[in-house]
Amino acid sequence: MTSNNKWIDITSDIQYSPDLFCIPPHYNKDIKSVLIPYGFVKDRIARLANDIVNDANGPLNVCCILKGGYQFFSDLVAEIKKIRTINNSSVPLTYDFIRVKSYINTQSSGNVKISLSEEELRKFEGKDILIVEDLVDTGKTMIELLKYLKQYNPRSIKVACLLIKKRENQDYPYIPDYVGFSIPDEFIVGYALDYNEHYRDLDHICIINDEAKKRFSI
Ligand code: 5GP
């Protein structure tokens, strides 16, 4: 595990046995390893919230990307509100929820579906938007989403993303403004990230084994 100025690098040599953590019994047989324990995720989010508040120039319209971004959104907003109480900083928040789907099994479908009504999108005009996303892999989802949202003339759009995937010998295709961790090229679940809708209710960010992938494949 190393660090640069922008995020924490989680490398594939550090993976923890699930036996060292509390795993819901219904997932006991499925977890190959714990990649990022929940407590570590929360500690990193506290700092991201701090950075976001320091950079804010007024009210923020925070857009949660569903479903995978909901846990990150919830913890991030809670931390921003905590800073507000401690520092008396005044960043009013409004919320939007955008449903985006691009993955089937462990593969990007390449076909990004975005759901938000025209009426809701028009309200973005002149606002500072903070997109809260779980993970950037190929970057296709975020690049498409940003292109789409920019048509509605927000004053600014920034992206907070908990995880970015590092593919071997490849550059990051897209780098968000705020990043929690860089992770190796593995399919991960937990902390609201799913495998065909399973494992969202697991707190730690984990790698599942091949039997689990087979069992819940569609
Ligand atoms: P991209 O378009 O950047 O390839 O993929 C972004 C989206 O795909 C993320 O928002 C996330 O929902 C999903 N995704 C990418 N990699 C993973 C992964 O390892 N696990 C899970 N559960 N979802 C992933």
Side-chain angles (χ1 to χ4, degrees):
M1 208 181 306
T2 55
S3 67
N4 61 29
N5 290 334
K6 258 201 123 190
W7 56 73
I8 295 170
D9 286 320
I10 306 287
T11 49
S12 45
D13 51 328
I14 300 193
Q15 290 181 29
Y16 307 100
S17 161
D19 297 340
L20 297 168
F21 294 90
C22 294
I23 303 287
H26 52 282
Y27 294 144
N28 253 344
K29 280 193 270 161
D30 302 347
I31 307 303
K32 189 167 133 198
S33 61
V34 174
L35 190 64
I36 318 178
Y38 183 45
F40 195 13
V41 172
K42 301 249 285 186
D43 287 339
R44 179 71 188 123
I45 291 174
R47 176 54 198 252
L48 291 177
N50 205 70
D51 295 347
I52 289 165
V53 169
N54 281 341
D55 293 348
N57 289 315
L60 272 183
N61 191 139
V62 191
C63 287
C64 172
I65 306 301
L66 296 172
K67 297 180 186 176
Y70 101 84
Q71 186 75 60
F72 178 37
F73 169 87
S74 165
D75 287 339
L76 185 67
V77 163
E79 286 298 331
I80 292 175
K81 290 199 286 191
K82 239 193 256 174
I83 298 168
R84 192 149 57 176
T85 319
I86 298 165
N87 290 357
N88 205 17
S89 72
S90 199
V91 182
L93 303 177
T94 50
Y95 306 143
D96 270 298
F97 298 88
I98 307 181
R99 181 103 191 251
V100 176
K101 190 162 169 55
S102 69
Y103 264 59
I104 296 168
N105 291 330
T106 61
Q107 296 301 312
S108 171
S109 67
N111 176 10
V112 179
K113 288 186 202 147
I114 300 162
S115 69
L116 201 65
S117 75
E118 192 66 22
E119 192 189 342
E120 285 168 304
L121 286 161
R122 284 218 200 93
K123 289 189 201 145
F124 286 180
E125 185 160 344
K127 289 191 180 160
D128 290 325
I129 310 289
L130 178 70
I131 295 177
V132 177
E133 168 69 309
D134 52 359
L135 198 157
V136 166
D137 179 5
T138 64
K140 274 186 216 159
T141 307
M142 195 46 67
I143 290 165
E144 280 297 308
L145 181 65
L146 289 174
K147 209 163 41 170
Y148 190 70
L149 296 183
K150 276 178 188 161
Q151 302 175 94
Y152 294 89
N153 302 318
R155 184 167 79 144
S156 69
I157 308 188
K158 285 192 175 172
V159 177
C161 187
L162 185 63
L163 307 160
I164 50 173
K165 230 178 241 186
K166 178 78 183 94
R167 297 196 173 204
E168 217 167 312
N169 305 321
Q170 278 185 34
D171 288 337
Y172 296 103
Y174 165 79
I175 298 186
D177 302 274
Y178 306 97
V179 178
F181 304 89
S182 158
I183 57 165
D185 187 11
E186 298 269 8
F187 189 81
I188 52 132
V189 298
Y191 198 71
L193 283 131
D194 72 316
Y195 175 70
N196 296 333
E197 297 302 328
H198 300 274
Y199 308 106
R200 290 197 199 273
D201 59 334
L202 176 65
D203 286 335
H204 309 297
I205 295 177
C206 297
I207 297 173
I208 47 173
N209 56 37
D210 289 341
E211 293 88 77
K213 278 186 199 160
K214 243 181 260 161
R215 190 148 44 93
F216 292 125
S217 167
I218 51 172

